[in-house]
């Protein structure tokens, strides 16, 4: 069984990531400051999905700084509301708003669109927590082999009933009752005895936040109207095409993808394309990795395409009293001849 096999009745998730780095280096042997630059990235993903209605918000913003001044900007935001024609089925009609800007554009581009699509997304966090609980039981030698798929799914479905357990109770009391129900299912299926300390650890896992996971995909196409053309051209009717995907390969990982293209009816030769990719990976209880990438292309008739690329990754460790941070960012503006590379390393330690 994979995490993405879980199908909840409703999905409501929000992810907000912030990453950044800055590096300053001044060699007294040189006349000027050698390095004084940094980068900051903010990523937002909001998803709601029910049998008849859903909506999603996504955004990626990146600022490049040089000598404490703003050097580059790249931003992409989109909001889409979906109405499903048949209860529980993936065929939908939508209305959406897209906003995009990159260094080199005279102004942001804003497009309003309507159309139809196919696909759904699902909150698979309950099953991800069931996998975490299985690992907890294996690590503590409570069980000697993995839980059967049917038991994992039953545990995930029980955790998915959190709102029912939480009615009229404190979160701690609700987690206690829910953990008891989970333990009964596990003991009944395996014959194992779950000790009190492990029960408390299961309660903590149920209450854990910040590790929400979701899966699914959606393709949509429609017609839009340019409220603002990024290059000041006349407003026009445009074609919009987009693809979204989310995948949780493991309880501690999340991959998000979005591609959006819009342009006139000759969209193959004239278009604005934005592709964003985000990845989050828990490496251990004391380390984590977050990475983002964005590609932006403006393709106009009789002109060479203008491309801008950016990618960043941040890795953080907590080692006892010491903290280690590593950041790497790559960027290529539309008018640049090569890539910019920004690598930073920081170490700190509490002495007393």
């Amino acid at each position: 069984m994979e995490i993405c096999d879980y199908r909840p009745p409703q999905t409501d998730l929000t992810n907000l990531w912030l990453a950044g780095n800055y590096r300053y280096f001044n060699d007294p042997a040189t006349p000027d400051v050698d390095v004084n630059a940094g980068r900051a990235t903010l990523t937002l993903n909001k998803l709601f999905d029910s049998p008849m209605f859903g909506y999603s918000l996504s955004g990626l913003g990146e600022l490049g700084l040089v000598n404490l001044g703003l050097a580059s900007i790249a931003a992409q935001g989109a909001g889409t509301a979906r109405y499903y024609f048949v209860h529980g089925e993936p065929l939908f009609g939508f209305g959406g708003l897209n906003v995009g800007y990159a260094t080199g554009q005279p102004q942001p581009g804003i497009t309003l669109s309507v159309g139809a699509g196919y696909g759904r997304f699902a909150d698979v966090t309950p099953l991800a927590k069931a996998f975490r609980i299985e690992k907890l039981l294996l690590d503590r030698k409570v069980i000697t082999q993995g839980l059967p798929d049917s038991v994992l799914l039953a545990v995930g479905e029980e955790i998915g009933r959190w709102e029912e357990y939480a009615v009229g109770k404190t979160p701690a009391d609700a987690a206690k009752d829910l953990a008891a129900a989970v333990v009964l299912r596990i003991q009944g299926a395996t014959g194992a005895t779950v000790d009190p300390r492990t029960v408390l650890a299961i309660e903590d896992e149920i209450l854990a936040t910040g590790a929400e996971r979701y899966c699914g995909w959606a393709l949509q196409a429609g017609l839009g109207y340019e409220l603002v053309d990024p290059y000041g051209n006349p407003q026009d009717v445009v074609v919009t095409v987009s693809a979204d995907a989310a995948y949780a390969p493991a309880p501690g990982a999340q991959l998000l993808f979005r591609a959006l293209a819009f342009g006139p009816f000759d969209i193959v030769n004239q278009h604005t394309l934005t592709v964003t990719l985000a990845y989050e990976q828990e490496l251990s209880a004391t380390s984590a990795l977050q990475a983002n990438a964005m590609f932006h292309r403006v393709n106009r008739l009789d002109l060479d395409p203008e491309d801008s690329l950016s990618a960043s990754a941040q890795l953080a460790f907590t080692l006892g009293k010491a903290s280690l941070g590593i950041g790497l960012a790559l960027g290529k503006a539309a008018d640049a001849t090569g890539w910019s590379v920004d690598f930073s390393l920081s170490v700190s330690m509490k002495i007393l």
Side-chain angles (χ1 to χ4, degrees):
M1 175 177 290
E2 293 188 355
I3 297 173
C4 291
D5 292 335
Y6 183 74
R7 290 293 179 269
Q10 182 171 296
T11 291
D12 189 358
L13 287 174
T14 302
N15 290 315
L16 182 64
W17 299 350
L18 176 64
N21 59 71
Y22 204 90
R23 185 177 176 224
Y24 179 90
F25 175 68
N26 185 13
D27 188 342
T30 60
D32 299 316
V33 174
D34 298 88
V35 180
N36 188 6
R39 189 181 302 268
T41 303
L42 182 68
T43 306
L44 168 68
N45 289 284
K46 168 69 177 178
L47 173 67
F48 176 83
D49 192 88
S50 66
M52 291 298 295
F53 174 75
Y55 68 88
S56 60
L57 301 172
S58 65
L60 174 63
E62 184 177 88
L63 301 178
L65 305 174
V66 176
N67 296 326
L68 298 180
L70 187 62
S72 64
I73 300 176
Q76 172 67 32
T80 301
R82 301 182 180 94
Y83 175 76
Y84 294 96
F85 298 116
V86 179
H87 188 280
E89 294 299 319
L91 184 64
F92 61 85
F94 75 89
L97 182 69
N98 298 287
V99 181
Y101 179 78
T103 301
Q105 291 181 201
Q107 60 189 355
I110 305 176
T111 304
L112 183 68
S113 59
V114 294
Y118 189 90
R120 274 189 181 271
F121 291 90
D123 178 3
V124 298
T125 306
L127 188 56
K129 289 189 174 185
F131 274 93
R132 290 177 182 272
I133 290 172
E134 177 191 47
K135 184 177 185 302
L136 176 69
L137 298 175
L138 288 168
D139 290 345
R140 292 175 175 240
K141 310 299 183 183
V142 176
I143 57 176
T144 57
Q145 58 184 6
L147 298 172
D149 288 351
S150 59
V151 178
L152 277 171
L153 184 58
V155 170
E157 290 174 344
E158 198 70 39
I159 296 174
R161 296 173 56 202
W162 167 259
E163 296 296 336
E164 300 175 30
Y165 282 90
V167 174
K169 302 176 186 176
T170 65
D173 289 339
K176 182 178 180 180
D177 293 342
L178 180 50
V182 167
V183 168
L184 284 176
R185 285 184 176 274
I186 293 171
Q187 291 184 153
T190 65
T193 300
V194 182
D195 61 274
R197 288 182 179 272
T198 301
V199 174
L200 292 175
I202 292 175
E203 292 178 20
D204 291 339
E205 190 59 61
I206 291 172
L207 286 170
T209 59
E212 291 76 13
R213 301 287 175 252
Y214 61 103
C215 297
W217 58 271
L219 299 174
Q220 58 189 47
L223 296 177
Y225 181 73
E226 285 185 309
L227 300 179
V228 179
D229 185 274
Y231 290 91
N233 297 322
Q235 296 167 311
D236 202 356
V237 175
V238 297
V239 177
T240 65
V241 181
S242 68
D244 295 88
Y247 180 60
Q254 179 74 71
L255 179 66
L256 304 174
F257 169 83
R258 176 170 177 79
L260 169 68
F262 65 91
F265 289 100
D266 185 17
I267 192 173
V268 175
N269 296 311
Q270 301 181 71
H271 60 262
T272 298
L273 171 67
T274 302
V275 180
T276 59
L277 187 66
Y279 183 70
E280 179 186 24
Q281 175 68 61
E282 296 175 7
L283 302 179
S284 70
T286 58
S287 61
L289 170 69
Q290 290 183 348
N292 296 282
M294 181 170 69
F295 170 74
H296 185 79
R297 163 169 284 192
V298 178
N299 196 6
R300 291 174 287 176
L301 281 178
D302 303 324
L303 294 174
D304 292 333
E306 295 184 358
D307 296 338
S308 58
L309 301 159
S310 65
S312 63
Q314 183 154 323
L315 183 62
F317 299 94
T318 300
L319 307 171
K321 293 184 178 182
S323 295
L324 172 66
I326 301 173
L328 176 64
L330 304 175
K332 185 178 183 298
D335 56 351
T337 58
W339 288 80
S340 64
V341 180
D342 188 357
F343 176 79
S344 61
L345 176 66
S346 62
V347 179
S348 62
M349 178 176 289
K350 184 179 178 181
I351 305 300
L352 296 175

